[in-house]
């Protein structure tokens, strides 16, 4: 098991691991996706925020939460809030920030990222601070929310 700096959620049956540089908005974007899914009547839940424990089970990447922070998510500038949560879930995609400068406007097809040694996931890219990030993720990966 390895501990990484990320946020893990589940939308429908799809695990999303928000990772990337500090300050890009991982927690707030994940929280916005959870709220947006609930408004659509789609199951959504927090797995872990800030610290995510990754392991492999039957070839799948599983995210879990350290018990001390279970159900807590930090909303920058607002503080730490409680959320419905589950103890672990399979992750299907890594969500990374897209370039806001216009550089690499179209990410490579079938892009993947190694989130930690031995842990590789397909990538979905998002611009920071989108008002409806889940809509963008669902456009790129229609299986999200199903």
């Amino acid at each position: 098991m390895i501990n990484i700096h990320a946020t893990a959620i589940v939308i429908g049956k799809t695990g999303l691991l928000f990772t990337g540089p500090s300050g890009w908005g991982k927690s707030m974007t994940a929280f916005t996706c959870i709220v947006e899914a609930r408004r659509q009547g789609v199951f959504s839940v927090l797995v872990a925020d800030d610290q995510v424990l990754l392991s492999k089970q039957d070839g799948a990447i599983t995210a879990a939460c350290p018990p001390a922070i279970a159900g807590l998510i930090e909303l920058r500038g607002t503080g730490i809030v409680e959320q419905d949560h589950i103890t672990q879930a399979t992750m299907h995609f890594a969500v990374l920030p897209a370039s806001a400068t216009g550089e690499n406007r179209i990410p490579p097809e079938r892009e993947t990222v190694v989130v930690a040694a031995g842990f590789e996931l397909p990538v979905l890219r998002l611009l920071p601070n989108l008002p409806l990030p889940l809509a963008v993720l669902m456009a790129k990966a229609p299986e999200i929310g199903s």
Side-chain angles (χ1 to χ4, degrees), residues 46 48-50 65 68-74 80-83 85:
L46 176 68
D49 180 50
D50 191 50
C65 186
I69 60 170
L72 302 176
I73 187 167
E74 180 188 357
I80 297 172
V81 298
E82 291 185 38
Q83 282 292 294
H85 68 284

Side-chain angles (χ1 to χ4, degrees), residues 14-19 24 92-98 107-108 110-113 121-127 133-134 136-144:
T14 305
L16 301 172
L17 184 69
F18 292 76
T19 187
W24 90 263
H92 299 92
F93 294 99
V95 180
L96 298 172
R110 297 180 180 84
E111 181 182 15
T112 62
V113 65
L121 287 168
V123 171
L124 296 173
R125 295 227 175 234
L126 279 179
L127 286 173
L134 184 59
V136 174
L137 292 173
M138 292 170 99
K140 188 66 178 170
E143 62 269 38
I144 296 173

Side-chain angles (χ1 to χ4, degrees), residues 21-106:
S22 182
W24 90 263
K26 295 179 285 293
S27 299
M28 188 63 83
T29 303
F31 175 75
T32 302
C33 287
I34 289 170
V35 171
E36 192 177 343
R38 288 179 184 161
R39 285 186 183 153
Q40 295 176 22
V42 175
F43 173 78
S44 59
V45 70
L46 176 68
V47 179
D49 180 50
D50 191 50
Q51 296 180 51
V52 178
L53 305 173
L54 295 180
S55 62
K56 281 195 178 172
Q57 296 179 1
D58 300 324
I61 296 174
T62 299
C65 186
I69 60 170
L72 302 176
I73 187 167
E74 180 188 357
L75 303 179
R76 189 175 296 242
T78 301
I80 297 172
V81 298
E82 291 185 38
Q83 282 292 294
D84 291 340
H85 68 284
I86 55 177
T87 57
Q88 67 177 26
T90 300
M91 294 292 105
H92 299 92
F93 294 99
V95 180
L96 298 172
S99 172
T101 64
E103 185 179 318
N104 300 323
R105 281 179 46 182
I106 300 176

